[in-house]
Amino acid sequence: NPEAGFNFGDILGILSGIFGGLAIIGVRQARIKNSPATIFFYFCVLGILASGIPSFLSWATPPASSLWLIFCVVLFGGIGQLVMNYAFKYSRVGEGTIITLITVVFINILGFVFLKELITFRLLFGEALVAASILLLLIKKIKYNEVPLK
Protein backbone atom coordinates (compact mmCIF):
# COMPACT_ATOMS: atom_id res chain seq x y z
CA ASN A 1 0.00 0.00 0.00
CA PRO A 2 2.31 2.75 -1.21
CA GLU A 3 1.85 6.33 -0.12
CA ALA A 4 2.22 9.49 -2.17
CA GLY A 5 5.70 10.95 -2.27
CA PHE A 6 9.21 9.60 -2.36
CA ASN A 7 10.96 8.21 0.70
CA PHE A 8 14.08 6.28 1.72
CA GLY A 9 12.32 2.94 1.15
CA ASP A 10 11.68 3.94 -2.47
CA ILE A 11 15.38 4.64 -2.95
CA LEU A 12 16.25 1.26 -1.43
CA GLY A 13 13.72 -0.42 -3.75
CA ILE A 14 15.22 1.22 -6.82
CA LEU A 15 18.75 0.33 -5.72
CA SER A 16 17.62 -3.23 -5.05
CA GLY A 17 16.27 -3.50 -8.59
CA ILE A 18 19.46 -2.06 -10.06
CA PHE A 19 21.73 -4.37 -8.08
CA GLY A 20 19.46 -7.35 -8.80
CA GLY A 21 19.71 -6.64 -12.53
CA LEU A 22 23.48 -6.25 -12.28
CA ALA A 23 23.69 -9.55 -10.40
CA ILE A 24 21.76 -11.34 -13.15
CA ILE A 25 24.01 -9.81 -15.81
CA GLY A 26 27.06 -10.79 -13.75
CA VAL A 27 25.88 -14.38 -13.34
CA ARG A 28 25.15 -14.66 -17.04
CA GLN A 29 28.60 -13.38 -17.97
CA ALA A 30 30.38 -15.40 -15.30
CA ARG A 31 28.55 -18.56 -16.41
CA ILE A 32 30.28 -18.40 -19.81
CA LYS A 33 33.64 -19.41 -18.32
CA ASN A 34 32.81 -20.67 -14.82
CA SER A 35 30.83 -23.53 -13.34
CA PRO A 36 27.68 -22.94 -11.29
CA ALA A 37 29.56 -24.17 -8.21
CA THR A 38 32.27 -21.53 -8.66
CA ILE A 39 29.71 -18.75 -9.08
CA PHE A 40 27.81 -20.04 -6.06
CA PHE A 41 31.00 -20.01 -3.98
CA TYR A 42 31.70 -16.36 -4.79
CA PHE A 43 28.08 -15.39 -4.16
CA CYS A 44 28.39 -16.99 -0.73
CA VAL A 45 31.65 -15.15 -0.01
CA LEU A 46 30.10 -11.84 -1.05
CA GLY A 47 26.95 -12.63 0.96
CA ILE A 48 28.98 -13.41 4.07
CA LEU A 49 30.85 -10.13 3.76
CA ALA A 50 27.75 -8.06 2.99
CA SER A 51 25.56 -9.52 5.73
CA GLY A 52 28.11 -10.91 8.17
CA ILE A 53 29.60 -7.60 9.26
CA PRO A 54 26.25 -5.94 10.12
CA SER A 55 25.08 -9.19 11.75
CA PHE A 56 28.19 -9.35 13.90
CA LEU A 57 27.64 -5.80 15.10
CA SER A 58 24.09 -6.54 16.30
CA TRP A 59 24.25 -10.30 16.92
CA ALA A 60 21.35 -12.07 18.60
CA THR A 61 21.63 -15.83 19.08
CA PRO A 62 18.61 -17.58 17.59
CA PRO A 63 16.74 -20.06 19.78
CA ALA A 64 17.71 -23.72 19.35
CA SER A 65 14.15 -24.53 18.25
CA SER A 66 14.65 -22.50 15.05
CA LEU A 67 17.92 -24.17 14.00
CA TRP A 68 16.11 -26.61 11.72
CA LEU A 69 14.46 -23.68 9.93
CA ILE A 70 17.84 -22.01 9.47
CA PHE A 71 19.22 -25.28 8.12
CA CYS A 72 16.32 -25.53 5.63
CA VAL A 73 16.86 -21.95 4.46
CA VAL A 74 20.56 -22.60 3.89
CA LEU A 75 19.98 -25.95 2.16
CA PHE A 76 17.15 -24.92 -0.15
CA GLY A 77 18.59 -21.46 -0.77
CA GLY A 78 21.88 -23.05 -1.82
CA ILE A 79 20.18 -25.54 -4.11
CA GLY A 80 18.04 -22.79 -5.63
CA GLN A 81 21.07 -20.57 -6.24
CA LEU A 82 22.97 -23.41 -7.96
CA VAL A 83 20.01 -24.20 -10.21
CA MET A 84 19.51 -20.53 -11.04
CA ASN A 85 23.19 -20.12 -11.92
CA TYR A 86 22.94 -23.07 -14.28
CA ALA A 87 19.70 -21.81 -15.85
CA PHE A 88 21.10 -18.35 -16.65
CA LYS A 89 23.49 -19.95 -19.09
CA TYR A 90 20.50 -20.65 -21.35
CA SER A 91 18.49 -17.46 -21.02
CA ARG A 92 18.85 -13.82 -21.92
CA VAL A 93 19.17 -11.31 -19.10
CA GLY A 94 15.69 -9.84 -19.63
CA GLU A 95 14.11 -13.28 -19.74
CA GLY A 96 15.92 -14.36 -16.61
CA THR A 97 14.76 -11.28 -14.78
CA ILE A 98 11.12 -11.88 -15.69
CA ILE A 99 11.28 -15.55 -14.78
CA THR A 100 12.90 -14.85 -11.39
CA LEU A 101 9.89 -12.68 -10.55
CA ILE A 102 7.90 -15.90 -10.16
CA THR A 103 9.63 -16.27 -6.79
CA VAL A 104 7.48 -13.40 -5.52
CA VAL A 105 4.37 -15.40 -6.39
CA PHE A 106 5.63 -18.47 -4.53
CA ILE A 107 6.70 -16.38 -1.53
CA ASN A 108 3.21 -14.88 -1.32
CA ILE A 109 1.58 -18.30 -1.53
CA LEU A 110 3.87 -19.66 1.20
CA GLY A 111 3.23 -16.55 3.32
CA PHE A 112 -0.52 -17.07 3.02
CA VAL A 113 -0.35 -20.81 3.80
CA PHE A 114 2.15 -20.78 6.65
CA LEU A 115 2.03 -17.25 8.08
CA LYS A 116 -1.63 -16.41 7.40
CA GLU A 117 -0.62 -13.26 5.49
CA LEU A 118 -3.41 -11.35 3.80
CA ILE A 119 -4.03 -11.63 0.07
CA THR A 120 -5.01 -8.21 -1.28
CA PHE A 121 -6.25 -7.10 -4.68
CA ARG A 122 -2.94 -5.31 -5.33
CA LEU A 123 -1.05 -8.48 -4.55
CA LEU A 124 -3.21 -10.54 -6.89
CA PHE A 125 -2.91 -7.89 -9.60
CA GLY A 126 0.89 -7.87 -9.31
CA GLU A 127 1.04 -11.65 -9.45
CA ALA A 128 -1.23 -11.63 -12.51
CA LEU A 129 1.19 -9.21 -14.21
CA VAL A 130 4.12 -11.53 -13.44
CA ALA A 131 2.22 -14.57 -14.75
CA ALA A 132 1.16 -12.69 -17.89
CA SER A 133 4.71 -11.57 -18.65
CA ILE A 134 6.02 -15.11 -18.29
CA LEU A 135 3.20 -16.43 -20.49
CA LEU A 136 3.89 -13.80 -23.16
CA LEU A 137 7.59 -14.65 -23.06
CA LEU A 138 6.80 -18.34 -23.52
CA ILE A 139 4.41 -17.64 -26.41
CA LYS A 140 7.09 -15.54 -28.10
CA LYS A 141 9.67 -18.30 -27.71
CA ILE A 142 7.28 -20.92 -29.10
CA LYS A 143 6.38 -18.64 -32.02
CA TYR A 144 10.04 -18.24 -32.97
CA ASN A 145 10.84 -21.93 -32.36
CA GLU A 146 13.14 -21.18 -29.46
CA VAL A 147 11.41 -23.72 -27.20
CA PRO A 148 11.46 -27.39 -28.14
CA LEU A 149 7.93 -28.76 -27.91
CA LYS A 150 9.04 -32.39 -27.39
Side-chain angles (χ1 to χ4, degrees):
N1 296 319
E3 298 174 3
F6 197 69
N7 61 36
F8 184 66
D10 297 331
I11 295 168
L12 290 178
I14 291 169
L15 288 174
S16 175
I18 290 169
F19 285 117
L22 290 173
I24 291 171
I25 291 169
V27 168
R28 175 91 164 105
Q29 292 301 314
R31 186 61 190 101
I32 293 170
K33 295 183 179 180
N34 300 293
S35 72
T38 302
I39 297 168
F40 177 68
F41 172 77
Y42 285 106
F43 260 59
C44 289
V45 169
L46 184 63
I48 288 169
L49 293 175
S51 63
I53 294 169
S55 296
F56 181 74
L57 296 175
S58 60
W59 180 257
T61 304
S65 61
S66 66
L67 289 179
W68 73 274
L69 290 171
I70 295 169
F71 174 77
C72 288
V73 167
V74 170
L75 176 68
F76 294 117
I79 291 170
Q81 186 67 45
L82 282 170
V83 170
M84 184 183 72
N85 290 345
Y86 185 76
F88 278 139
K89 179 180 181 180
Y90 302 103
S91 68
R92 294 185 185 106
V93 174
E95 295 168 352
T97 305
I98 293 170
I99 293 169
T100 57
L101 289 175
I102 198 73
T103 58
V104 174
V105 175
F106 288 120
I107 288 169
N108 289 326
I109 292 169
L110 292 173
F112 174 73
V113 171
F114 293 108
L115 302 175
K116 308 297 184 236
E117 291 182 351
L118 295 176
I119 302 292
T120 64
F121 175 75
R122 287 182 184 202
L123 181 71
L124 291 174
F125 182 69
E127 290 180 357
L129 289 175
V130 170
S133 63
I134 292 172
L135 184 62
L136 289 172
L137 183 65
L138 182 61
I139 290 169
K140 177 187 166 204
K141 286 193 149 294
I142 291 172
K143 180 179 177 183
Y144 294 106
N145 294 324
E146 296 177 19
V147 175
L149 296 176
K150 294 182 181 180

